[in-house]
Amino acid sequence: MDGKVYFKVEKPQASKAYLAGSFNNWNPQDIEMQNVDGYWQVSLVLSPGKYEYKYVFEINNNQTWQEDPNAPGYVPDGYGGKNGVFEIVEKDETLVIEKPEQETKSSVGISGSYSFNLSYKYDEQNILKGQGFSNSLELIYQPNNNLEFSLKYDGASINYAKLELINDKLGFLAHYNYVLDFPFEGLETGIFVSYDEKYYLGFGADNNQLSWIVGLNIFDIEVNYSDNYFAGESVVIAGYNLKLFDYDTKLYGGYFINSNSYAALINVNLEDFEAELKYVKDKVEFLLSMNYLDLISSYNIENGSYNIDSIIYIFDKYGLLAGYNHTTLLDKWYFGCGIYKEDYNLGFKIRSDFSGYYFDLFGNISF
């Protein structure tokens, strides 16, 4: 009415809320929203055009991106989810908001991705010899903010499946071959129930024993106790989420009772930067992610094996990839390059192990 676009959303669990979109280069902390009568609100003056956006919530010092459940329309966000979208047009000398004319499948809550890998082996007689073709299809159905079903199919079998339901403050999650977001890797299959994103209870189904976990996450402190859920042991985990020099920081520690061993994690995150150092039972893992680099490495203190994977990004869309894996039995390495865009990537790599040299073509597209 007055030339402004008004944004309003309910999220009682959030301590802060921000608006990010194509109008501010997706800066997650540039436009802060105000809590008015239980709703996070903000208004912007925008020129005619098409805009995409999402809300960014701070919950227990964790940054959570979420699409607007009442957006005029949706488009894929390139990461298996969706962005809200609207268009400002001028009609009868008045600016109005409309749903964009061209909608994608995500407007009915469907998104996903398709990946493939074509492999050849170097052969002295034939130069290149076909070794196989693998592919996978991931589908995500999210008709609203309270229901999500996702499944990944690897041609011959189901890679993972997940069903998530939210009813007011009660959440339910059933998962198959899908690791939940804990600081240390737990069981891949089971059910998980939460209340108000503060209290949770889970049961696993990966082994022949009763596996369970119970915990709480309040006042930025998380504590849980589990049996046969992490590495088949009874485990106590405690953590604290805080702001450290403007960085979202996670500090976690764990004690494995049966083996009398320990685990620790520190994770720092700020916009396009993330670093994580993890120690679990004689294994050290390090992760570094920024605008121009993704690096993942691990080292086993007990047997001396290690692994390094890296991608260096050039001009925001090209990537140089390389990796090396060392064990007591053999060494492997690879290098290659590719095009890495928001909704697709395509590339090749050369790799080697004890059996010879290989040439791989790979790709992925999100929709």
Side-chain angles (χ1 to χ4, degrees):
M1 298 295 292
D2 53 4
K4 293 183 178 180
V5 179
Y6 290 85
F7 299 85
K8 180 178 179 180
V9 65
E10 185 179 19
K11 195 70 172 179
Q13 306 97 320
S15 58
K16 289 184 179 181
Y18 300 87
L19 177 67
S22 54
F23 38 73
N24 73 334
N25 200 28
W26 295 98
N27 189 321
Q29 294 183 320
D30 180 39
I31 304 174
E32 186 170 0
M33 306 179 74
Q34 303 298 319
N35 195 319
V36 180
D37 297 328
Y39 290 87
W40 296 101
Q41 304 181 33
V42 72
S43 62
L44 299 178
V45 177
L46 298 174
S47 303
K50 184 178 177 180
Y51 299 94
E52 297 181 25
Y53 70 102
K54 261 188 180 179
Y55 297 121
V56 185
F57 299 108
E58 283 193 11
I59 302 175
N60 296 323
N61 272 341
N62 291 318
Q63 192 180 82
T64 301
W65 291 69
Q66 178 184 305
E67 72 275 3
D68 185 351
N70 301 309
Y74 300 97
V75 294
D77 63 4
Y79 301 96
K82 56 187 178 180
N83 296 328
V85 63
F86 63 90
E87 188 170 6
I88 299 178
V89 298
E90 186 173 351
K91 288 187 176 181
D92 300 325
E93 299 182 354
T94 302
L95 295 179
V96 297
I97 297 176
E98 290 189 348
K99 180 179 181 179
E101 293 182 1
Q102 295 183 350
E103 290 295 316
T104 67
K105 290 183 179 180
S106 67
S107 63
V108 293
I110 298 177
S111 58
S113 65
Y114 173 76
S115 302
F116 74 89
N117 189 90
L118 181 62
S119 181
Y120 295 89
K121 182 180 180 180
Y122 171 73
D123 182 80
E124 293 183 356
Q125 295 180 345
N126 302 316
I127 302 179
L128 289 178
K129 190 180 194 178
Q131 287 295 293
F133 176 81
S134 62
N135 66 122
S136 64
L137 176 65
E138 181 181 32
L139 294 175
I140 301 173
Y141 176 59
Q142 189 177 22
N144 54 59
N145 206 41
N146 297 322
L147 171 64
E148 178 181 327
F149 174 73
S150 56
L151 179 146
K152 187 174 183 179
Y153 183 68
D154 277 344
S157 61
I158 295 177
N159 179 282
Y160 86 85
K162 181 182 70 165
L163 174 65
E164 185 172 8
L165 301 169
I166 299 176
N167 183 9
D168 194 14
K169 294 183 178 182
L170 185 64
F172 173 83
L173 174 66
H175 59 108
Y176 169 73
N177 282 352
Y178 183 89
V179 179
L180 301 185
D181 187 21
F182 285 110
F184 312 113
E185 186 171 317
L187 294 183
E188 298 179 342
T189 302
I191 60 173
F192 190 83
V193 181
S194 64
Y195 178 77
D196 199 24
E197 298 185 1
K198 296 179 180 179
Y199 313 97
Y200 55 84
L201 172 67
F203 294 95
D206 280 6
N207 51 43
N208 295 322
Q209 305 179 62
L210 176 63
S211 306
W212 55 271
I213 182 171
V214 59
L216 57 86
N217 190 343
I218 56 176
F219 305 115
D220 301 325
I221 297 174
E222 181 175 6
V223 179
N224 65 57
Y225 177 79
S226 63
D227 189 40
N228 296 315
Y229 203 87
F230 298 97
E233 296 192 35
S234 298
V235 182
V236 178
I237 296 175
Y240 182 50
N241 300 287
L242 70 155
K243 282 280 189 181
L244 188 62
F245 303 111
D246 292 328
Y247 286 84
D248 293 324
T249 304
K250 298 179 181 179
L251 301 173
Y252 277 85
Y255 176 58
F256 292 77
I257 298 174
N258 302 66
S259 60
N260 191 31
S261 55
Y262 298 89
L265 175 143
I266 178 171
N267 177 285
V268 293
N269 194 311
L270 178 65
E271 296 182 8
D272 295 326
F273 173 86
E274 181 181 8
E276 180 176 287
L277 181 63
K278 182 191 299 185
Y279 170 83
V280 181
K281 301 177 66 174
D282 292 330
K283 185 177 181 180
V284 180
E285 298 179 8
F286 177 70
L287 175 149
L288 179 64
S289 179
M290 56 184 69
N291 285 330
Y292 58 87
L293 173 68
D294 283 331
L295 174 68
I296 300 175
S297 62
S298 63
Y299 176 70
N300 191 305
I301 299 174
E302 184 177 2
N303 58 31
S305 63
Y306 59 87
N307 184 77
I308 301 173
D309 295 289
S310 65
I311 302 179
I312 300 176
Y313 299 100
I314 304 173
F315 305 123
D316 294 329
K317 63 178 181 179
Y318 301 106
L320 301 177
L321 53 150
Y324 192 87
N325 176 266
H326 169 76
T327 68
T328 56
L329 297 178
L330 56 91
D331 291 335
K332 300 178 181 180
W333 56 261
Y334 71 86
F335 68 88
C337 64
I339 300 174
Y340 291 84
K341 301 285 285 185
E342 183 178 351
D343 53 355
Y344 74 90
N345 63 65
L346 181 67
F348 75 92
K349 67 180 179 181
I350 298 173
R351 57 187 174 90
S352 172
D353 59 25
F354 71 94
S355 63
Y357 298 94
Y358 297 83
F359 180 85
D360 294 340
L361 294 173
F362 63 87
N364 174 276
I365 183 169
S366 301
F367 54 87

